[in-house]
Amino acid sequence: IFLYLVRALDPKERRACKIYIVLSLISPALDIISFSAVIDILQAAMGQGAVSPQLLAKAFAMAGLSVTKCFFELYRRRVTNRFVYAGAQKLSVKLHEMLLKEDLSSHNQRSVMQALALVRSDTTACVGIVTGCVGALTSGTTMLAYIAVSIQAVGWVGLLGGAAVLAYTAGLFLFYRSRIRVYGEKMRELTIRSNAQVSLAYGVFKEIKTGAPVEGILEKYQDVSLAHAQVQGKYNFQTGVLSVIMVDSLTALLFLLLGILLSQGDGVLSMLGSLVVYFTAFIRLAPLAFQIVTSLNSIESSKRSFQVVRDGLEKYQQIKTAEAAAQAGPGSGLSLKQGI
């Protein structure tokens, strides 16, 4: 899905996508560098029993790096915003051209609201799939880096905790995967139907003013809008439940591992510095795990939009190929023998 959507973009948007991916990978790398530097400074200060000029210089250098990262983040958000909306706009232009040039039978298979959803909301959802894939990739890479720090700090306990977090994240995503996809498809369908009812009301406005009954129109819109509100509420509730479950359960796992370490006896006190590193890294895993599952769920909920956009882009390519063949003239086409 990711590669198909990237190839469907214009060359300018593909370049913007590459810049966006690179910037998205640099951002967590800077976070990990800052985290490692803080740990190194604290451990060095604890080991030396005093603050040396070198440590002060390193601390001030990291402060400068953090300020630089702030400007970098602002630039990354600007590039992201430009890529999302420019990419969606370019896709919508292609699909709009396809709607104008498709044959009559294909035209009659969709309503005005379906066409509107195709060129507007579905294109935005497809670019959201691209950003969701990049977000899941960067969060996953950052999570693996923090797990590596945990393993380096406390050995097998860090490995056990990291494996538990990865398994738990994958399990929650697979458990909610089909449900989230159904919610996404239903919300798209009900949005189209509710918009169609509003369009219908505007279409018969003159008849209503001349005495036509409105009860039937109101009842249909009430039913569709209520169903849409219920599905959207369930989707948002499931997302909120997922956040609560992941954060609280991973916090419980953190204290469980702490209990395991403390049960090793007085020798654990000699590992105090490593324990600080481990638990600081482990605390970072909960939001990263939630970001991964949220990105993957967003992709699942947008798969129906991807399907209709993919079908539209394939028709667009067929139309452009036919136009190119027609402009080339009859003499440049295949011969009868070659065609057979």
Side-chain angles (χ1 to χ4, degrees):
I1 294 177
F2 174 80
L3 293 177
Y4 179 89
L5 290 173
V6 171
R7 294 191 188 105
L9 297 172
D10 290 342
K12 183 178 179 180
E13 276 63 47
R14 283 200 293 269
R15 287 194 298 270
C17 181
K18 292 177 182 178
I19 295 173
Y20 163 67
I21 292 173
V22 172
L23 294 178
S24 298
L25 291 173
I26 293 175
S27 180
L30 293 176
D31 287 336
I32 295 172
I33 291 173
S34 299
F35 173 77
S36 301
V38 170
I39 298 301
D40 289 341
I41 292 172
L42 292 177
Q43 286 183 334
M46 292 173 61
Q48 295 174 4
V51 179
S52 64
Q54 291 79 8
L55 286 180
L56 286 176
K58 188 173 183 179
F60 288 130
M62 294 308 303
L65 179 62
S66 299
V67 173
T68 305
K69 182 179 179 296
C70 176
F71 291 102
F72 171 81
E73 284 294 327
L74 292 175
Y75 176 69
R76 185 178 70 86
R77 290 183 180 275
R78 181 180 179 182
V79 170
T80 302
N81 187 71
R82 186 190 310 159
F83 164 68
V84 169
Y85 292 103
Q89 189 269 337
K90 293 297 183 180
L91 289 177
S92 69
V93 169
K94 292 181 179 181
L95 294 171
H96 188 260
E97 182 178 353
M98 181 275 297
L99 293 173
L100 292 173
K101 296 180 179 180
E102 66 179 350
D103 56 79
L104 183 60
S105 61
S106 299
H107 175 79
N108 292 332
Q109 291 176 2
R110 66 169 60 89
S111 66
V112 176
M113 291 301 125
Q114 288 175 326
L116 182 61
L118 172 64
V119 299
R120 299 303 302 170
S121 58
D122 288 337
T123 52
T124 303
C126 283
V127 179
I129 289 177
V130 176
T131 58
C133 290
V134 175
L137 173 64
T138 55
S139 297
T141 304
T142 308
M143 177 183 286
L144 292 176
Y146 281 121
I147 290 175
V149 172
S150 301
I151 295 173
Q152 184 180 9
V154 292
W156 65 270
V157 177
L159 178 61
L160 178 63
V165 171
L166 291 176
Y168 189 64
T169 303
L172 280 178
F173 166 67
L174 294 175
F175 178 77
Y176 282 99
R177 180 180 183 181
S178 60
R179 193 177 307 177
I180 293 296
R181 182 185 299 178
V182 171
Y183 285 154
E185 293 176 356
K186 288 294 292 184
M187 281 195 295
R188 180 182 182 277
E189 175 189 348
L190 292 171
T191 299
I192 293 174
R193 289 174 57 187
S194 61
N195 290 340
Q197 292 301 316
V198 175
S199 176
L200 175 64
Y202 267 79
V204 298
F205 182 76
K206 292 183 179 179
E207 289 78 1
I208 292 174
K209 288 303 180 182
T210 56
V214 299
E215 288 77 11
I217 298 175
L218 286 173
E219 183 179 357
K220 288 182 179 179
Y221 179 77
Q222 182 177 358
D223 293 341
V224 174
S225 61
L226 177 61
H228 182 274
Q230 290 174 344
V231 172
Q232 191 170 22
K234 290 179 180 178
Y235 176 80
N236 293 332
F237 175 75
Q238 292 292 342
T239 304
V241 167
L242 189 61
S243 173
V244 172
I245 290 175
M246 292 198 70
V247 174
D248 291 343
S249 58
L250 289 178
T251 302
L253 178 61
L254 172 65
F255 283 104
L256 177 62
L257 293 173
L258 176 61
I260 293 175
L261 287 172
L262 293 177
S263 65
Q264 303 300 315
D266 296 336
V268 73
L269 296 177
S270 61
M271 301 173 56
L272 188 58
S274 298
L275 289 177
V276 171
V277 175
Y278 169 63
F279 287 115
T280 305
F282 196 91
I283 290 172
R284 298 286 189 99
L285 295 181
L288 289 172
F290 178 68
Q291 289 172 12
I292 292 173
V293 176
T294 301
S295 297
L296 294 177
N297 283 340
S298 176
I299 295 170
E300 287 296 321
S301 66
S302 302
K303 279 192 173 180
R304 178 56 186 165
S305 295
F306 168 73
Q307 292 172 358
V308 295
V309 168
R310 180 186 59 190
D311 294 341
L313 290 175
E314 289 177 354
K315 288 184 180 180
Y316 171 81
Q317 291 298 332
Q318 293 172 2
I319 291 171
K320 301 304 286 186
T321 301
E323 288 180 348
Q327 291 177 358
S332 60
L334 291 174
S335 66
L336 177 61
K337 182 177 180 180
Q338 290 173 329
I340 294 173

